[in-house]
Amino acid sequence: MERRRYLAAAGALGIAGLAGCFGDDGDDGDEGASGDGVADESNGDDDDEPDAGPAADPVETIDAFLEAAVAEDVDAMDELLHGSSPLRDLLAAQGPPEFEDVDDVERGETDVVVEDASVEDVLELEGASLFVDRDALETVVAEEDVVVVETELETSAALEGDTWVLATEDDEWRVFWVGGRAEPPDDPEGAFAEPIEDEANDVVADVEYDVDPGDDADDEFPDADFARVTLTDSPGTDADAVRIESTIAGDETELTGDEPGGWAGSWAIVALHPDGDQLVVTALSDGTGEVVHRERYEPSSSYSTR
């Protein structure tokens, strides 16, 4: 049985299906300002070819990185990544993102939301605690300037992660991480769909709340509550895999096997937002999914539901 944890955002490598026109956010550009809340330090040159090297402005670095990603220029992307960024290994392992009939990216409103960012400011972003080496990050924070930037991409499909961490290296801004903030929506009730119960136990055998997640999961979701979802020993479906996820906390795990139904009898622990969440179990076959169990978690639910 294989257990794989998927991230809602695997950094900038999660860009997919972007469309639009790469450039500024529509501001005509007052002299001395970029329209992004960051000083414009460009020299005014209007070269035909974009400068793929690190820029003095963090937003310029984001623009250059996006342009390199669209061009599938791995060397340019790597040059724009911080030397301690875990995205360098991800880029080397996964390669550049794939785009379909996309030449440019249009970036919308962009703001520096955290100056002098701390270690915790970075690790709270989705996926960061799993990939970022804390000791290396502490060194970067202590020795370099680190900022958190939020941006919007005006495209047909959003970037998987709209929050960027940039750090200086050799006095130039470079990309350190790209993720998203794991925050509950303003209206959590609106994020919950109607409950679905696997009454026949075709997939789900038991859901138990208030469980000990173990050290690894606790480090990744330090403030979360946890549930253990146990799958049935006698599947009523020959699904290839089973996905277990939480709507608000954004934790997700897939359980598979060597053959359809090979996930039978396995279990997974999923993180839940402590103020309330929704647990969703989906059976996957041939790339399509069917929700077989969905229930709401309330903080007082420290009991088994099955």
Side-chain angles (χ1 to χ4, degrees):
M1 186 274 292
E2 178 185 359
R3 181 177 186 273
R4 296 177 293 168
R5 181 177 298 277
Y6 290 86
L7 301 177
L13 306 183
I15 304 171
L18 303 180
C21 177
F22 183 84
D24 60 29
D25 56 4
D27 194 317
D28 290 334
D30 294 337
E31 184 175 354
S34 67
D36 300 305
V38 180
D40 185 359
E41 300 178 18
S42 63
N43 59 16
D45 292 340
D46 187 18
D47 298 329
D48 292 335
E49 294 296 327
D51 180 6
D57 184 313
V59 178
E60 290 177 7
T61 298
I62 292 175
D63 285 348
F65 189 85
L66 288 171
E67 192 162 356
V70 171
E72 300 185 11
D73 189 337
V74 174
D75 291 337
M77 293 175 69
D78 185 72
E79 183 180 355
L80 289 158
L81 289 172
H82 193 279
S84 298
S85 171
L87 295 180
R88 302 188 73 178
D89 290 337
L90 291 174
L91 180 63
Q94 299 178 8
E98 295 182 359
F99 298 87
E100 295 182 1
D101 300 324
V102 174
D103 296 323
D104 301 299
V105 177
E106 181 178 349
R107 175 178 50 77
E109 182 178 354
T110 304
D111 297 298
V112 177
V113 294
V114 181
E115 296 181 358
D116 299 323
S118 68
V119 170
E120 297 307 323
D121 288 330
V122 178
L123 293 182
E124 73 176 7
L125 300 181
E126 290 179 325
S129 61
L130 185 63
F131 286 101
V132 174
D133 180 271
R134 189 182 186 99
D135 291 339
L137 176 59
E138 288 176 348
T139 299
V140 172
V141 168
E143 298 179 354
E144 306 289 350
D145 295 327
V146 182
V147 297
V148 178
V149 179
E150 288 188 352
T151 187
E152 296 178 358
L153 296 184
E154 298 175 359
T155 60
S156 60
L159 171 69
E160 292 186 27
D162 53 5
T163 304
W164 299 64
V165 178
L166 295 102
T168 54
E169 188 172 44
D170 299 328
D171 297 323
E172 301 286 354
W173 287 104
R174 300 177 187 252
V175 175
F176 185 86
W177 184 252
V178 185
R181 294 182 181 276
E183 298 177 348
D186 293 335
D187 177 21
E189 294 287 344
F192 297 148
E194 290 296 319
I196 296 175
E197 185 175 355
D198 184 9
E199 296 180 354
N201 298 100
D202 288 334
V203 175
V204 179
D206 183 76
V207 179
E208 183 180 1
Y209 294 107
D210 194 25
V211 300
D212 183 355
D215 293 339
D216 292 342
D218 195 37
D219 288 342
E220 186 177 350
F221 297 92
D223 299 319
D225 293 340
F226 295 89
R228 178 186 290 108
V229 180
T230 302
L231 304 184
T232 181
D233 290 324
S234 303
T237 174
D238 58 356
D240 300 323
V242 174
R243 178 189 300 141
I244 303 168
E245 59 191 317
S246 53
T247 300
I248 305 301
D251 193 13
E252 181 177 313
T253 298
E254 282 190 15
L255 301 173
T256 66
D258 294 333
E259 58 186 19
W263 41 264
S266 57
W267 57 269
I269 290 179
V270 61
L272 302 164
H273 195 281
D275 293 334
D277 212 323
Q278 181 178 244
L279 185 68
V280 183
V281 181
T282 304
L284 304 169
S285 297
D286 297 325
T288 62
E290 178 185 359
V291 175
V292 295
H293 188 84
R294 181 167 56 214
E295 65 181 64
R296 180 176 178 181
Y297 165 70
E298 298 180 1
S300 60
S301 301
S302 55
Y303 52 83
S304 173
T305 64
R306 307 290 291 182

